[in-house]
Amino acid sequence: MVELSPRERAILTFEREWWKHAEAKDSAARARLGLAREDYYRALNALIDHPGALAHDPLLVRRLRRQRLARQRQRQAERLGRLSDPAGG
């Protein structure tokens, strides 16, 4: 099994516990991880596909994968809706 780096573990821990912090998630990610919003979500999105992430925190990773899939399906449905809209939506 591939191990996670300390930074990868920190990202997963932050994602699991960010709501406990008083500040907004974006501000907390910058303060605790030194990552801008876009960089944080890019890293998190790549990380949830990492086999070590699933082994480290299976509940969190599965939930994040489900959420990502739901967002992808929603965007796809919206695109298909616009394409089929005769008025051009």
Side-chain angles (χ1 to χ4, degrees):
M1 175 174 42
V2 179
E3 287 291 318
L4 296 176
S5 70
R7 181 159 184 86
E8 290 168 330
R9 286 193 302 275
I11 290 171
L12 288 176
T13 299
F14 175 79
E15 182 62 26
R16 186 181 337 105
E17 299 176 352
W18 71 266
W19 55 272
K20 295 178 182 179
H21 305 289
E23 64 233 285
K25 186 175 185 180
D26 296 345
S27 300
R30 182 175 295 281
R32 285 166 179 70
L33 300 170
L35 293 172
R37 180 182 192 278
E38 296 81 13
D39 297 330
Y40 171 73
Y41 284 109
R42 190 175 301 117
L44 181 62
N45 190 48
L47 183 55
I48 64 174
D49 291 327
H50 190 294
L54 186 61
H56 178 75
D57 196 335
L59 293 176
L60 175 67
V61 171
R62 286 186 186 119
R63 177 175 57 84
L64 293 172
R65 287 177 178 178
R66 281 192 309 270
Q67 289 173 345
R68 179 177 64 184
L69 183 60
R71 286 189 305 272
Q72 289 169 342
R73 288 179 175 164
Q74 179 64 35
R75 284 191 300 268
Q76 184 179 28
E78 290 170 359
R79 278 193 305 271
L80 290 174
R82 283 194 297 267
L83 291 175
S84 64
D85 183 2

